[in-house]
Amino acid sequence: SKTNESMMQRRVAAVPRGVGQIHPIFADHAKNSSVVDVEGREFIDFAGGIAVLNTGHLHPKIVKAVEEQLHKLTHTCFQVLAYEPYVELCEKINARVPGNFAKKTLLVTTGSEAVENAVKIARAATGRAGVIAFTGAYHGRTMMTLGLTGKVAPYSAGMGLMPGGIFRALYPCAIHGVSVDDSIASIERIFKNDAEPRDIAAIIIEPVQGEGGFNVAPKDFMARLRALCDEHGILLIADEVQTGAGRTGTFFAMEQMGVVADLTTFAKSVGGGFPIAGVCGKAEIMDAIAPGGLGGTYAGNPLSCAAALAVLEVFEEEKLLDRCKAVAERLTTGLKAIQAKHKEIGEVRGLGAMIAIELFEDGDHARPAAALTSQIVARARDKGLILLSCGTYYNVLRVLVPLTAEDELLDRGLAIIAECFDELT
Ligand code: PMP
């Protein structure tokens, strides 16, 4: 019979090492918030395939919608023969993305592709080529998005310089000493030192940084960023690939930020486990690119559109935004109780159910505890809990458990995290 170890050997021989793997586990099947590996061991899934499974593994309504679509049509390429699920999904996304103006949506397949296209659209709409991105940002692994991603190792190390015209501003992060004023000043500094505002097409920001450590952009920062963009005719792109689809308590995190973006990228949990992503924005901006300039063979695949439409229905029917608040409260309370006993946990933070804890040696905010963080991820897995870390300093533990997870499963996961801290600190 198959073992994780034998599968790992085949993987190492057949797959390049650049494709990392956090847990030496091969999944066999899954349901809602549990995954069973090839050896028959069950794990609690607090990772959700990196923010993809807000509706859980194999949600029955999503499976049914995809099965129905599977018997009708799997592919035409939307640019050859169109189909209704693509248009219907765009209509629904247009209605859900914040902003009191006419919107249009482009569908693609991955978050990186969505960001690539948002930048292309911003360039076409403004006639400018520069883009400002932030420290600690994660926007993808394609060439342009690697340039935007604010972490060299491991993402772009060894690959040479990424495309030019990208400028780096500081993401506000109080715990690491970057104030909102510092952050705004870093943009003003770019305008003074590197590029005139009239050469900047867009500023791209994650309203809550995902890979960067679940740092929440303060509302007053967002207001000042919006004002800067308006002053200089720069477009604001909200990358909601990780924050979107209800993770933060609203369908999009920008609903809580007090300002609206010109362009919004989405992916991950919008598809409930099927590959779909897109860019939604002001209609006139979205129309800046001429026919033929947008699209892709598989972009907006019918199966993925059917899945995404089902995700939206599940959110309504199961009131998942309300459930998100309950999950957020339970996780926050549980994690704060662990923090009260362990000085290593410097902060419990997040927005909605996008919650993380940041670890420091002896609680000293100048000494990120990367080793302890990876030890906890490994020990939790040995105890049956799949966790993910993140953060510029590799010292943040994040929770991306399905919003459909039962309270009892959340409590079991929290208990395992508590045990790990008791044993390792
Ligand atoms: N933007 C953000 C905010 C992300 O978190 C990610 C993925 N972690 C991406 C873009 C890239 O998405 P994908 O991996 O689907 O290309």
PDB file of all heavy atoms in Angstrom, residues 50-52 109-115 137-142 145 149 155 204-211 239-243 265 267-268 276-277 354 398, ligand 1:
ATOM      1  N   ILE A  50      -4.408  27.028   1.320  1.00  0.00           N
ATOM      2  CA  ILE A  50      -4.009  28.445   1.314  1.00  0.00           C
ATOM      3  C   ILE A  50      -5.184  29.343   0.909  1.00  0.00           C
ATOM      4  O   ILE A  50      -5.213  29.909  -0.192  1.00  0.00           O
ATOM      5  CB  ILE A  50      -2.766  28.751   0.458  1.00  0.00           C
ATOM      6  CG1 ILE A  50      -1.662  27.705   0.655  1.00  0.00           C
ATOM      7  CG2 ILE A  50      -2.230  30.143   0.814  1.00  0.00           C
ATOM      8  CD1 ILE A  50      -0.319  28.064   0.026  1.00  0.00           C
ATOM      9  N   ALA A  51      -6.145  29.427   1.780  1.00  0.00           N
ATOM     10  CA  ALA A  51      -7.232  30.422   1.645  1.00  0.00           C
ATOM     11  C   ALA A  51      -8.196  30.147   0.497  1.00  0.00           C
ATOM     12  O   ALA A  51      -8.879  31.047   0.023  1.00  0.00           O
ATOM     13  CB  ALA A  51      -6.660  31.838   1.509  1.00  0.00           C
ATOM     14  N   VAL A  52      -8.255  28.892   0.069  1.00  0.00           N
ATOM     15  CA  VAL A  52      -9.117  28.550  -1.066  1.00  0.00           C
ATOM     16  C   VAL A  52     -10.460  27.964  -0.614  1.00  0.00           C
ATOM     17  O   VAL A  52     -11.439  27.995  -1.347  1.00  0.00           O
ATOM     18  CB  VAL A  52      -8.380  27.556  -1.994  1.00  0.00           C
ATOM     19  CG1 VAL A  52      -9.311  26.943  -3.026  1.00  0.00           C
ATOM     20  CG2 VAL A  52      -7.224  28.270  -2.690  1.00  0.00           C
ATOM     21  N   THR A 109      -7.616  32.529 -14.530  1.00  0.00           N
ATOM     22  CA  THR A 109      -7.543  31.236 -13.855  1.00  0.00           C
ATOM     23  C   THR A 109      -6.857  31.274 -12.494  1.00  0.00           C
ATOM     24  O   THR A 109      -7.238  30.540 -11.590  1.00  0.00           O
ATOM     25  CB  THR A 109      -6.852  30.209 -14.775  1.00  0.00           C
ATOM     26  OG1 THR A 109      -7.460  30.290 -16.060  1.00  0.00           O
ATOM     27  CG2 THR A 109      -6.998  28.790 -14.253  1.00  0.00           C
ATOM     28  N   THR A 110      -5.843  32.116 -12.360  1.00  0.00           N
ATOM     29  CA  THR A 110      -5.093  32.149 -11.093  1.00  0.00           C
ATOM     30  C   THR A 110      -4.966  33.576 -10.577  1.00  0.00           C
ATOM     31  O   THR A 110      -5.115  34.543 -11.338  1.00  0.00           O
ATOM     32  CB  THR A 110      -3.661  31.592 -11.252  1.00  0.00           C
ATOM     33  OG1 THR A 110      -2.910  32.497 -12.088  1.00  0.00           O
ATOM     34  CG2 THR A 110      -3.663  30.210 -11.882  1.00  0.00           C
ATOM     35  N   GLY A 111      -4.635  33.680  -9.304  1.00  0.00           N
ATOM     36  CA  GLY A 111      -4.448  34.993  -8.694  1.00  0.00           C
ATOM     37  C   GLY A 111      -3.343  35.786  -9.373  1.00  0.00           C
ATOM     38  O   GLY A 111      -3.481  36.995  -9.597  1.00  0.00           O
ATOM     39  N   SER A 112      -2.254  35.110  -9.702  1.00  0.00           N
ATOM     40  CA  SER A 112      -1.142  35.805 -10.371  1.00  0.00           C
ATOM     41  C   SER A 112      -1.606  36.401 -11.688  1.00  0.00           C
ATOM     42  O   SER A 112      -1.285  37.550 -12.027  1.00  0.00           O
ATOM     43  CB  SER A 112       0.008  34.833 -10.671  1.00  0.00           C
ATOM     44  OG  SER A 112       0.415  34.171  -9.509  1.00  0.00           O
ATOM     45  N   GLU A 113      -2.370  35.612 -12.430  1.00  0.00           N
ATOM     46  CA  GLU A 113      -2.877  36.080 -13.713  1.00  0.00           C
ATOM     47  C   GLU A 113      -3.817  37.276 -13.535  1.00  0.00           C
ATOM     48  O   GLU A 113      -3.831  38.200 -14.359  1.00  0.00           O
ATOM     49  CB  GLU A 113      -3.643  34.918 -14.354  1.00  0.00           C
ATOM     50  CG  GLU A 113      -3.448  34.726 -15.816  1.00  0.00           C
ATOM     51  CD  GLU A 113      -4.391  33.642 -16.341  1.00  0.00           C
ATOM     52  OE1 GLU A 113      -4.763  32.712 -15.584  1.00  0.00           O
ATOM     53  OE2 GLU A 113      -4.772  33.756 -17.495  1.00  0.00           O
ATOM     54  N   ALA A 114      -4.583  37.256 -12.465  1.00  0.00           N
ATOM     55  CA  ALA A 114      -5.477  38.384 -12.181  1.00  0.00           C
ATOM     56  C   ALA A 114      -4.655  39.647 -11.944  1.00  0.00           C
ATOM     57  O   ALA A 114      -4.952  40.711 -12.495  1.00  0.00           O
ATOM     58  CB  ALA A 114      -6.357  38.069 -10.975  1.00  0.00           C
ATOM     59  N   VAL A 115      -3.592  39.525 -11.146  1.00  0.00           N
ATOM     60  CA  VAL A 115      -2.750  40.692 -10.852  1.00  0.00           C
ATOM     61  C   VAL A 115      -2.053  41.174 -12.130  1.00  0.00           C
ATOM     62  O   VAL A 115      -2.008  42.379 -12.409  1.00  0.00           O
ATOM     63  CB  VAL A 115      -1.726  40.370  -9.747  1.00  0.00           C
ATOM     64  CG1 VAL A 115      -0.739  41.511  -9.572  1.00  0.00           C
ATOM     65  CG2 VAL A 115      -2.438  40.074  -8.427  1.00  0.00           C
ATOM     66  N   ALA A 137       4.663  42.411   0.466  1.00  0.00           N
ATOM     67  CA  ALA A 137       3.519  42.055  -0.381  1.00  0.00           C
ATOM     68  C   ALA A 137       3.718  40.679  -1.002  1.00  0.00           C
ATOM     69  O   ALA A 137       4.848  40.232  -1.205  1.00  0.00           O
ATOM     70  CB  ALA A 137       3.362  43.088  -1.498  1.00  0.00           C
ATOM     71  N   TYR A 138       2.602  40.004  -1.289  1.00  0.00           N
ATOM     72  CA  TYR A 138       2.669  38.809  -2.131  1.00  0.00           C
ATOM     73  C   TYR A 138       1.606  38.951  -3.208  1.00  0.00           C
ATOM     74  O   TYR A 138       0.421  39.079  -2.912  1.00  0.00           O
ATOM     75  CB  TYR A 138       2.438  37.503  -1.353  1.00  0.00           C
ATOM     76  CG  TYR A 138       2.662  36.308  -2.259  1.00  0.00           C
ATOM     77  CD1 TYR A 138       3.935  35.749  -2.414  1.00  0.00           C
ATOM     78  CD2 TYR A 138       1.623  35.785  -3.033  1.00  0.00           C
ATOM     79  CE1 TYR A 138       4.158  34.695  -3.285  1.00  0.00           C
ATOM     80  CE2 TYR A 138       1.842  34.732  -3.915  1.00  0.00           C
ATOM     81  CZ  TYR A 138       3.114  34.193  -4.028  1.00  0.00           C
ATOM     82  OH  TYR A 138       3.336  33.154  -4.912  1.00  0.00           O
ATOM     83  N   HIS A 139       2.061  38.955  -4.460  1.00  0.00           N
ATOM     84  CA  HIS A 139       1.111  39.080  -5.569  1.00  0.00           C
ATOM     85  C   HIS A 139       1.244  37.954  -6.581  1.00  0.00           C
ATOM     86  O   HIS A 139       0.497  37.927  -7.557  1.00  0.00           O
ATOM     87  CB  HIS A 139       1.277  40.439  -6.259  1.00  0.00           C
ATOM     88  CG  HIS A 139       0.977  41.606  -5.354  1.00  0.00           C
ATOM     89  ND1 HIS A 139      -0.296  41.853  -4.870  1.00  0.00           N
ATOM     90  CD2 HIS A 139       1.774  42.563  -4.813  1.00  0.00           C
ATOM     91  CE1 HIS A 139      -0.263  42.935  -4.087  1.00  0.00           C
ATOM     92  NE2 HIS A 139       0.978  43.373  -4.030  1.00  0.00           N
ATOM     93  N   GLY A 140       2.208  37.048  -6.395  1.00  0.00           N
ATOM     94  CA  GLY A 140       2.295  35.911  -7.300  1.00  0.00           C
ATOM     95  C   GLY A 140       3.714  35.556  -7.694  1.00  0.00           C
ATOM     96  O   GLY A 140       4.677  36.168  -7.233  1.00  0.00           O
ATOM     97  N   ARG A 141       3.818  34.550  -8.557  1.00  0.00           N
ATOM     98  CA  ARG A 141       5.119  34.005  -8.959  1.00  0.00           C
ATOM     99  C   ARG A 141       5.402  34.134 -10.455  1.00  0.00           C
ATOM    100  O   ARG A 141       6.370  33.570 -10.947  1.00  0.00           O
ATOM    101  CB  ARG A 141       5.202  32.529  -8.568  1.00  0.00           C
ATOM    102  CG  ARG A 141       5.534  32.267  -7.113  1.00  0.00           C
ATOM    103  CD  ARG A 141       5.844  30.787  -6.943  1.00  0.00           C
ATOM    104  NE  ARG A 141       6.200  30.446  -5.583  1.00  0.00           N
ATOM    105  CZ  ARG A 141       5.326  30.131  -4.626  1.00  0.00           C
ATOM    106  NH1 ARG A 141       4.038  30.151  -4.883  1.00  0.00           N
ATOM    107  NH2 ARG A 141       5.748  29.793  -3.426  1.00  0.00           N
ATOM    108  N   THR A 142       4.521  34.819 -11.203  1.00  0.00           N
ATOM    109  CA  THR A 142       4.874  35.101 -12.602  1.00  0.00           C
ATOM    110  C   THR A 142       5.816  36.302 -12.604  1.00  0.00           C
ATOM    111  O   THR A 142       6.023  36.924 -11.562  1.00  0.00           O
ATOM    112  CB  THR A 142       3.606  35.399 -13.418  1.00  0.00           C
ATOM    113  OG1 THR A 142       2.911  36.491 -12.808  1.00  0.00           O
ATOM    114  CG2 THR A 142       2.691  34.179 -13.469  1.00  0.00           C
ATOM    115  N   THR A 145       4.375  39.738 -11.383  1.00  0.00           N
ATOM    116  CA  THR A 145       3.907  39.647  -9.997  1.00  0.00           C
ATOM    117  C   THR A 145       5.069  39.346  -9.045  1.00  0.00           C
ATOM    118  O   THR A 145       5.035  39.750  -7.888  1.00  0.00           O
ATOM    119  CB  THR A 145       2.794  38.592  -9.826  1.00  0.00           C
ATOM    120  OG1 THR A 145       3.298  37.301 -10.170  1.00  0.00           O
ATOM    121  CG2 THR A 145       1.590  38.915 -10.695  1.00  0.00           C
ATOM    122  N   THR A 149       5.873  41.306  -5.751  1.00  0.00           N
ATOM    123  CA  THR A 149       6.001  40.581  -4.484  1.00  0.00           C
ATOM    124  C   THR A 149       7.202  41.107  -3.700  1.00  0.00           C
ATOM    125  O   THR A 149       8.294  41.207  -4.240  1.00  0.00           O
ATOM    126  CB  THR A 149       6.116  39.066  -4.761  1.00  0.00           C
ATOM    127  OG1 THR A 149       4.836  38.593  -5.197  1.00  0.00           O
ATOM    128  CG2 THR A 149       6.544  38.286  -3.528  1.00  0.00           C
ATOM    129  N   TYR A 155      11.194  33.637  -3.244  1.00  0.00           N
ATOM    130  CA  TYR A 155      10.368  33.708  -4.450  1.00  0.00           C
ATOM    131  C   TYR A 155      11.115  34.040  -5.739  1.00  0.00           C
ATOM    132  O   TYR A 155      10.821  33.476  -6.780  1.00  0.00           O
ATOM    133  CB  TYR A 155       9.212  34.694  -4.236  1.00  0.00           C
ATOM    134  CG  TYR A 155       8.319  34.328  -3.076  1.00  0.00           C
ATOM    135  CD1 TYR A 155       8.072  35.229  -2.051  1.00  0.00           C
ATOM    136  CD2 TYR A 155       7.734  33.064  -3.002  1.00  0.00           C
ATOM    137  CE1 TYR A 155       7.254  34.889  -0.982  1.00  0.00           C
ATOM    138  CE2 TYR A 155       6.911  32.719  -1.939  1.00  0.00           C
ATOM    139  CZ  TYR A 155       6.681  33.635  -0.929  1.00  0.00           C
ATOM    140  OH  TYR A 155       5.884  33.304   0.118  1.00  0.00           O
ATOM    141  N   ILE A 204      -0.680  49.068  -5.900  1.00  0.00           N
ATOM    142  CA  ILE A 204      -1.371  47.799  -5.593  1.00  0.00           C
ATOM    143  C   ILE A 204      -1.148  47.442  -4.130  1.00  0.00           C
ATOM    144  O   ILE A 204      -0.016  47.494  -3.632  1.00  0.00           O
ATOM    145  CB  ILE A 204      -0.932  46.664  -6.545  1.00  0.00           C
ATOM    146  CG1 ILE A 204      -1.710  45.383  -6.215  1.00  0.00           C
ATOM    147  CG2 ILE A 204       0.578  46.411  -6.512  1.00  0.00           C
ATOM    148  CD1 ILE A 204      -1.634  44.324  -7.293  1.00  0.00           C
ATOM    149  N   ILE A 205      -2.235  47.098  -3.453  1.00  0.00           N
ATOM    150  CA  ILE A 205      -2.135  46.786  -2.023  1.00  0.00           C
ATOM    151  C   ILE A 205      -3.071  45.641  -1.636  1.00  0.00           C
ATOM    152  O   ILE A 205      -4.185  45.529  -2.169  1.00  0.00           O
ATOM    153  CB  ILE A 205      -2.440  48.044  -1.164  1.00  0.00           C
ATOM    154  CG1 ILE A 205      -2.181  47.754   0.323  1.00  0.00           C
ATOM    155  CG2 ILE A 205      -3.871  48.557  -1.412  1.00  0.00           C
ATOM    156  CD1 ILE A 205      -2.067  48.991   1.174  1.00  0.00           C
ATOM    157  N   GLU A 206      -2.605  44.810  -0.744  1.00  0.00           N
ATOM    158  CA  GLU A 206      -3.480  43.830  -0.090  1.00  0.00           C
ATOM    159  C   GLU A 206      -4.099  44.526   1.126  1.00  0.00           C
ATOM    160  O   GLU A 206      -3.354  44.960   2.004  1.00  0.00           O
ATOM    161  CB  GLU A 206      -2.667  42.627   0.394  1.00  0.00           C
ATOM    162  CG  GLU A 206      -1.989  41.809  -0.695  1.00  0.00           C
ATOM    163  CD  GLU A 206      -0.832  40.991  -0.132  1.00  0.00           C
ATOM    164  OE1 GLU A 206      -1.057  39.860   0.324  1.00  0.00           O
ATOM    165  OE2 GLU A 206       0.309  41.504  -0.123  1.00  0.00           O
ATOM    166  N   PRO A 207      -5.428  44.610   1.212  1.00  0.00           N
ATOM    167  CA  PRO A 207      -6.034  45.274   2.375  1.00  0.00           C
ATOM    168  C   PRO A 207      -5.636  44.600   3.695  1.00  0.00           C
ATOM    169  O   PRO A 207      -5.508  45.277   4.720  1.00  0.00           O
ATOM    170  CB  PRO A 207      -7.534  45.175   2.131  1.00  0.00           C
ATOM    171  CG  PRO A 207      -7.731  44.334   0.920  1.00  0.00           C
ATOM    172  CD  PRO A 207      -6.433  44.190   0.216  1.00  0.00           C
ATOM    173  N   VAL A 208      -5.439  43.298   3.645  1.00  0.00           N
ATOM    174  CA  VAL A 208      -4.765  42.583   4.741  1.00  0.00           C
ATOM    175  C   VAL A 208      -3.695  41.742   4.051  1.00  0.00           C
ATOM    176  O   VAL A 208      -4.014  40.942   3.168  1.00  0.00           O
ATOM    177  CB  VAL A 208      -5.712  41.642   5.517  1.00  0.00           C
ATOM    178  CG1 VAL A 208      -4.983  40.987   6.691  1.00  0.00           C
ATOM    179  CG2 VAL A 208      -6.956  42.376   5.988  1.00  0.00           C
ATOM    180  N   GLN A 209      -2.440  41.933   4.419  1.00  0.00           N
ATOM    181  CA  GLN A 209      -1.399  41.136   3.777  1.00  0.00           C
ATOM    182  C   GLN A 209      -1.558  39.672   4.160  1.00  0.00           C
ATOM    183  O   GLN A 209      -1.746  39.342   5.336  1.00  0.00           O
ATOM    184  CB  GLN A 209      -0.010  41.624   4.192  1.00  0.00           C
ATOM    185  CG  GLN A 209       0.368  42.926   3.513  1.00  0.00           C
ATOM    186  CD  GLN A 209       1.848  43.258   3.674  1.00  0.00           C
ATOM    187  OE1 GLN A 209       2.449  42.947   4.705  1.00  0.00           O
ATOM    188  NE2 GLN A 209       2.423  43.889   2.665  1.00  0.00           N
ATOM    189  N   GLY A 210      -1.465  38.800   3.163  1.00  0.00           N
ATOM    190  CA  GLY A 210      -1.600  37.372   3.413  1.00  0.00           C
ATOM    191  C   GLY A 210      -0.254  36.753   3.743  1.00  0.00           C
ATOM    192  O   GLY A 210       0.109  36.611   4.919  1.00  0.00           O
ATOM    193  N   GLU A 211       0.501  36.426   2.703  1.00  0.00           N
ATOM    194  CA  GLU A 211       1.811  35.791   2.924  1.00  0.00           C
ATOM    195  C   GLU A 211       2.704  36.666   3.804  1.00  0.00           C
ATOM    196  O   GLU A 211       3.557  36.166   4.528  1.00  0.00           O
ATOM    197  CB  GLU A 211       2.504  35.527   1.578  1.00  0.00           C
ATOM    198  CG  GLU A 211       1.692  34.692   0.583  1.00  0.00           C
ATOM    199  CD  GLU A 211       1.209  33.381   1.158  1.00  0.00           C
ATOM    200  OE1 GLU A 211       2.019  32.646   1.725  1.00  0.00           O
ATOM    201  OE2 GLU A 211      -0.009  33.110   1.044  1.00  0.00           O
ATOM    202  N   ASP A 239      -5.675  44.007  -4.053  1.00  0.00           N
ATOM    203  CA  ASP A 239      -5.478  42.578  -4.313  1.00  0.00           C
ATOM    204  C   ASP A 239      -6.206  41.804  -3.213  1.00  0.00           C
ATOM    205  O   ASP A 239      -5.723  41.690  -2.089  1.00  0.00           O
ATOM    206  CB  ASP A 239      -3.987  42.235  -4.342  1.00  0.00           C
ATOM    207  CG  ASP A 239      -3.749  40.768  -4.694  1.00  0.00           C
ATOM    208  OD1 ASP A 239      -4.735  39.986  -4.725  1.00  0.00           O
ATOM    209  OD2 ASP A 239      -2.588  40.396  -4.937  1.00  0.00           O
ATOM    210  N   GLU A 240      -7.384  41.306  -3.579  1.00  0.00           N
ATOM    211  CA  GLU A 240      -8.228  40.582  -2.610  1.00  0.00           C
ATOM    212  C   GLU A 240      -8.184  39.077  -2.866  1.00  0.00           C
ATOM    213  O   GLU A 240      -9.117  38.350  -2.520  1.00  0.00           O
ATOM    214  CB  GLU A 240      -9.671  41.104  -2.690  1.00  0.00           C
ATOM    215  CG  GLU A 240      -9.817  42.553  -2.251  1.00  0.00           C
ATOM    216  CD  GLU A 240     -10.702  42.712  -1.017  1.00  0.00           C
ATOM    217  OE1 GLU A 240     -10.804  41.746  -0.215  1.00  0.00           O
ATOM    218  OE2 GLU A 240     -11.295  43.795  -0.869  1.00  0.00           O
ATOM    219  N   VAL A 241      -7.095  38.624  -3.461  1.00  0.00           N
ATOM    220  CA  VAL A 241      -6.979  37.196  -3.774  1.00  0.00           C
ATOM    221  C   VAL A 241      -7.090  36.355  -2.495  1.00  0.00           C
ATOM    222  O   VAL A 241      -7.790  35.347  -2.473  1.00  0.00           O
ATOM    223  CB  VAL A 241      -5.666  36.921  -4.542  1.00  0.00           C
ATOM    224  CG1 VAL A 241      -5.331  35.431  -4.562  1.00  0.00           C
ATOM    225  CG2 VAL A 241      -5.763  37.475  -5.957  1.00  0.00           C
ATOM    226  N   GLN A 242      -6.423  36.799  -1.428  1.00  0.00           N
ATOM    227  CA  GLN A 242      -6.451  36.017  -0.183  1.00  0.00           C
ATOM    228  C   GLN A 242      -7.548  36.504   0.767  1.00  0.00           C
ATOM    229  O   GLN A 242      -8.152  35.716   1.496  1.00  0.00           O
ATOM    230  CB  GLN A 242      -5.073  36.054   0.511  1.00  0.00           C
ATOM    231  CG  GLN A 242      -4.969  35.124   1.690  1.00  0.00           C
ATOM    232  CD  GLN A 242      -3.564  34.585   1.968  1.00  0.00           C
ATOM    233  OE1 GLN A 242      -3.331  34.043   3.028  1.00  0.00           O
ATOM    234  NE2 GLN A 242      -2.642  34.693   1.058  1.00  0.00           N
ATOM    235  N   THR A 243      -7.824  37.814   0.748  1.00  0.00           N
ATOM    236  CA  THR A 243      -8.803  38.393   1.682  1.00  0.00           C
ATOM    237  C   THR A 243     -10.242  38.192   1.221  1.00  0.00           C
ATOM    238  O   THR A 243     -11.169  38.322   2.025  1.00  0.00           O
ATOM    239  CB  THR A 243      -8.566  39.908   1.825  1.00  0.00           C
ATOM    240  OG1 THR A 243      -8.513  40.492   0.517  1.00  0.00           O
ATOM    241  CG2 THR A 243      -7.297  40.213   2.563  1.00  0.00           C
ATOM    242  N   THR A 265      -8.648  42.538  -7.565  1.00  0.00           N
ATOM    243  CA  THR A 265      -8.336  41.186  -8.037  1.00  0.00           C
ATOM    244  C   THR A 265      -8.886  40.174  -7.032  1.00  0.00           C
ATOM    245  O   THR A 265      -8.895  40.423  -5.828  1.00  0.00           O
ATOM    246  CB  THR A 265      -6.816  40.971  -8.170  1.00  0.00           C
ATOM    247  OG1 THR A 265      -6.198  41.311  -6.932  1.00  0.00           O
ATOM    248  CG2 THR A 265      -6.235  41.820  -9.281  1.00  0.00           C
ATOM    249  N   ALA A 267      -9.557  35.613  -6.413  1.00  0.00           N
ATOM    250  CA  ALA A 267      -9.218  34.240  -6.847  1.00  0.00           C
ATOM    251  C   ALA A 267      -9.574  33.293  -5.704  1.00  0.00           C
ATOM    252  O   ALA A 267     -10.599  33.471  -5.045  1.00  0.00           O
ATOM    253  CB  ALA A 267      -7.732  34.142  -7.193  1.00  0.00           C
ATOM    254  N   LYS A 268      -8.748  32.305  -5.483  1.00  0.00           N
ATOM    255  CA  LYS A 268      -8.813  31.405  -4.322  1.00  0.00           C
ATOM    256  C   LYS A 268     -10.223  30.972  -3.932  1.00  0.00           C
ATOM    257  O   LYS A 268     -10.871  30.224  -4.654  1.00  0.00           O
ATOM    258  CB  LYS A 268      -8.074  32.067  -3.153  1.00  0.00           C
ATOM    259  CG  LYS A 268      -6.545  32.118  -3.398  1.00  0.00           C
ATOM    260  CD  LYS A 268      -5.786  32.525  -2.148  1.00  0.00           C
ATOM    261  CE  LYS A 268      -4.297  32.719  -2.365  1.00  0.00           C
ATOM    262  NZ  LYS A 268      -3.489  31.539  -2.181  1.00  0.00           N
ATOM    263  N   ILE A 276     -10.320  29.600 -10.526  1.00  0.00           N
ATOM    264  CA  ILE A 276     -10.904  30.775 -11.166  1.00  0.00           C
ATOM    265  C   ILE A 276     -10.408  32.016 -10.443  1.00  0.00           C
ATOM    266  O   ILE A 276     -10.158  31.990  -9.242  1.00  0.00           O
ATOM    267  CB  ILE A 276     -12.450  30.721 -11.175  1.00  0.00           C
ATOM    268  CG1 ILE A 276     -13.004  31.847 -12.046  1.00  0.00           C
ATOM    269  CG2 ILE A 276     -13.033  30.815  -9.774  1.00  0.00           C
ATOM    270  CD1 ILE A 276     -13.959  31.404 -13.087  1.00  0.00           C
ATOM    271  N   ALA A 277     -10.244  33.075 -11.206  1.00  0.00           N
ATOM    272  CA  ALA A 277      -9.765  34.342 -10.662  1.00  0.00           C
ATOM    273  C   ALA A 277     -10.263  35.441 -11.584  1.00  0.00           C
ATOM    274  O   ALA A 277     -10.853  35.155 -12.630  1.00  0.00           O
ATOM    275  CB  ALA A 277      -8.227  34.338 -10.607  1.00  0.00           C
ATOM    276  N   MET A 354      -9.638  35.879   9.280  1.00  0.00           N
ATOM    277  CA  MET A 354      -8.261  35.844   8.755  1.00  0.00           C
ATOM    278  C   MET A 354      -7.368  36.214   9.937  1.00  0.00           C
ATOM    279  O   MET A 354      -7.037  37.379  10.151  1.00  0.00           O
ATOM    280  CB  MET A 354      -8.136  36.858   7.608  1.00  0.00           C
ATOM    281  CG  MET A 354      -6.844  36.812   6.843  1.00  0.00           C
ATOM    282  SD  MET A 354      -6.983  37.777   5.310  1.00  0.00           S
ATOM    283  CE  MET A 354      -5.282  37.631   4.725  1.00  0.00           C
ATOM    284  N   ARG A 398      -0.792  31.266  10.871  1.00  0.00           N
ATOM    285  CA  ARG A 398      -2.074  31.796  10.400  1.00  0.00           C
ATOM    286  C   ARG A 398      -3.123  30.697  10.335  1.00  0.00           C
ATOM    287  O   ARG A 398      -2.801  29.530  10.133  1.00  0.00           O
ATOM    288  CB  ARG A 398      -1.914  32.426   9.016  1.00  0.00           C
ATOM    289  CG  ARG A 398      -1.344  31.482   7.983  1.00  0.00           C
ATOM    290  CD  ARG A 398      -1.310  32.107   6.601  1.00  0.00           C
ATOM    291  NE  ARG A 398      -0.291  31.481   5.769  1.00  0.00           N
ATOM    292  CZ  ARG A 398      -0.160  31.718   4.466  1.00  0.00           C
ATOM    293  NH1 ARG A 398      -0.972  32.549   3.859  1.00  0.00           N
ATOM    294  NH2 ARG A 398       0.786  31.111   3.780  1.00  0.00           N
TER     295      ARG A 398
HETATM  296  N1  PMP B   1      -2.225  37.750  -4.506  1.00  0.00           N
HETATM  297  C1  PMP B   1      -2.362  37.370  -3.224  1.00  0.00           C
HETATM  298  C2  PMP B   1      -2.765  38.386  -2.195  1.00  0.00           C
HETATM  299  C3  PMP B   1      -2.140  36.037  -2.864  1.00  0.00           C
HETATM  300  O1  PMP B   1      -2.253  35.663  -1.570  1.00  0.00           O
HETATM  301  C4  PMP B   1      -1.784  35.098  -3.860  1.00  0.00           C
HETATM  302  C5  PMP B   1      -1.541  33.632  -3.532  1.00  0.00           C
HETATM  303  N2  PMP B   1      -1.066  33.336  -2.285  1.00  0.00           N
HETATM  304  C6  PMP B   1      -1.669  35.546  -5.184  1.00  0.00           C
HETATM  305  C7  PMP B   1      -1.908  36.873  -5.470  1.00  0.00           C
HETATM  306  C8  PMP B   1      -1.308  34.609  -6.295  1.00  0.00           C
HETATM  307  O2  PMP B   1      -2.348  33.736  -6.540  1.00  0.00           O
HETATM  308  P1  PMP B   1      -2.073  32.363  -7.333  1.00  0.00           P
HETATM  309  O3  PMP B   1      -1.211  31.517  -6.463  1.00  0.00           O
HETATM  310  O4  PMP B   1      -3.452  31.800  -7.558  1.00  0.00           O
HETATM  311  O5  PMP B   1      -1.425  32.720  -8.626  1.00  0.00           O
END
